[in-house]
Amino acid sequence: MHYDWEELSDGVRRCRLPFLDVTVGLVHGEHKNLLIDSGTTPSEASRIADDIGVLTGGAVTDVALTHHHFDHILGSSGFGTAVLYAPAAVARAMTTHIGQVRAHALRYRADPESVDRAIAGIRAPDHIVTAADLDLGGRSVHLELPGPGHTDHDMVVVVPPVVPGQQTVVFCGDLVEESADPAIDAGSDLPAWPHALDRILALGGPDAVYVPGHGAVVDAAFVRAQRDWLVARSIPESLRSSPPGSPAS
């Protein structure tokens, strides 16, 4: 095995890749294996494919890409026969905006040669998703865009349990982060982000396992706390600094 795959529920695993601590997820069905996000490079993709072959006895058949950032999509070029599911913005990133994706990767010091090899093999998603249910054989998963936040198109993957007593698993992409504060940039929608987390909590419920795009697995209380942190960040500085009951300057 190349990576340490953490078992979250029966047939549901995830690993944390060394580069940028990106999480990729695995959902194993009777007929299909779904990969959630794909890392950055062909070598990462090859190692992931090897590991999934050992874990499941089969290949990756389907890939869900949560958002357009390079560390979540470029490795998809290593799964050439898999069916790709993604929001429309990811399709644009993988086609007409691929130059911006490359530049973003290089700003994070990804290896240029590896990035270019990934881009040479990349293709547009097969299915553009706003909400969908996938049948993997003996289990289904739900894909949904719960609302803008980290980007304007974040997608989550909800995996109900197939064994009584086990927990729902929600792969949150970068709407939730554990190893650092949420990454807020020019493409983020800070006022809307807490509402997206409310939707994630409604999809998973209070007892679900929540898998961030980076970092350790968390629970509903962590997601609520991150939502509250984002709410506080969205309040204008003038209001945050004003004493209760005093007018904003």
Side-chain angles (χ1 to χ4, degrees):
M1 299 289 288
H2 300 286
Y3 299 123
D4 181 15
W5 290 83
E6 180 181 3
E7 187 171 24
L8 307 174
S9 182
D10 188 66
V12 184
R13 297 174 182 265
R14 73 86 179 244
C15 73
R16 296 165 68 171
L17 302 178
F19 183 57
L20 300 180
D21 193 25
V22 179
T23 281
V24 297
L26 166 65
V27 186
H28 173 52
E30 293 173 2
H31 307 304
K32 296 180 179 181
N33 289 319
L34 172 68
L35 182 72
I36 299 133
D37 286 335
S38 62
T40 304
T41 65
S43 59
E44 284 180 333
S46 178
R47 294 185 184 104
I48 291 166
D50 286 348
D51 284 357
I52 289 175
V54 173
L55 290 168
T56 70
V60 172
T61 60
D62 299 79
V63 180
L65 302 170
T66 61
H67 64 289
H68 72 303
H69 288 154
F70 73 92
D71 48 329
H72 297 260
I73 67 171
L74 287 181
S76 66
S77 65
F79 303 96
T81 62
V83 179
L84 307 182
Y85 298 83
V90 174
R92 293 191 293 271
M94 297 169 78
T95 54
T96 56
H97 294 175
I98 195 64
Q100 297 174 26
V101 175
R102 183 182 188 276
H104 190 202
L106 297 187
R107 286 200 297 273
Y108 278 82
R109 299 187 178 181
D111 176 65
E113 183 179 348
S114 296
V115 168
D116 288 341
R117 286 204 313 273
I119 289 172
I122 210 162
R123 60 185 173 86
D126 300 284
H127 298 282
I128 302 302
V129 175
T130 53
D133 294 302
L134 307 184
D135 181 3
L136 305 182
R139 78 180 314 146
S140 64
V141 301
H142 178 67
L143 313 181
E144 183 173 320
L145 277 65
H150 175 62
T151 69
D152 63 1
H153 60 273
D154 301 281
M155 185 172 76
V156 300
V157 180
V158 184
V159 189
V162 294
V163 175
Q166 294 193 346
Q167 295 163 289
T168 295
V169 178
V170 184
F171 290 91
C172 303
D174 285 2
L175 282 169
V176 177
E177 294 200 41
E178 186 277 333
S179 53
D181 288 337
I184 302 167
D185 61 21
S188 301
D189 189 332
L190 187 55
W193 199 332
H195 301 293
L197 295 186
D198 282 336
R199 177 57 182 162
I200 289 174
L201 289 164
L203 287 167
D207 300 320
V209 173
Y210 294 89
V211 185
H214 305 262
V217 168
V218 301
D219 59 11
F222 182 96
V223 178
R224 287 194 297 270
Q226 196 152 95
R227 177 200 60 197
D228 294 345
W229 183 89
L230 288 160
V231 168
R233 286 292 297 256
S234 68
I235 297 171
E237 184 65 34
S238 60
L239 296 179
R240 274 187 271 162
S241 60
S242 299
S246 64
S249 57

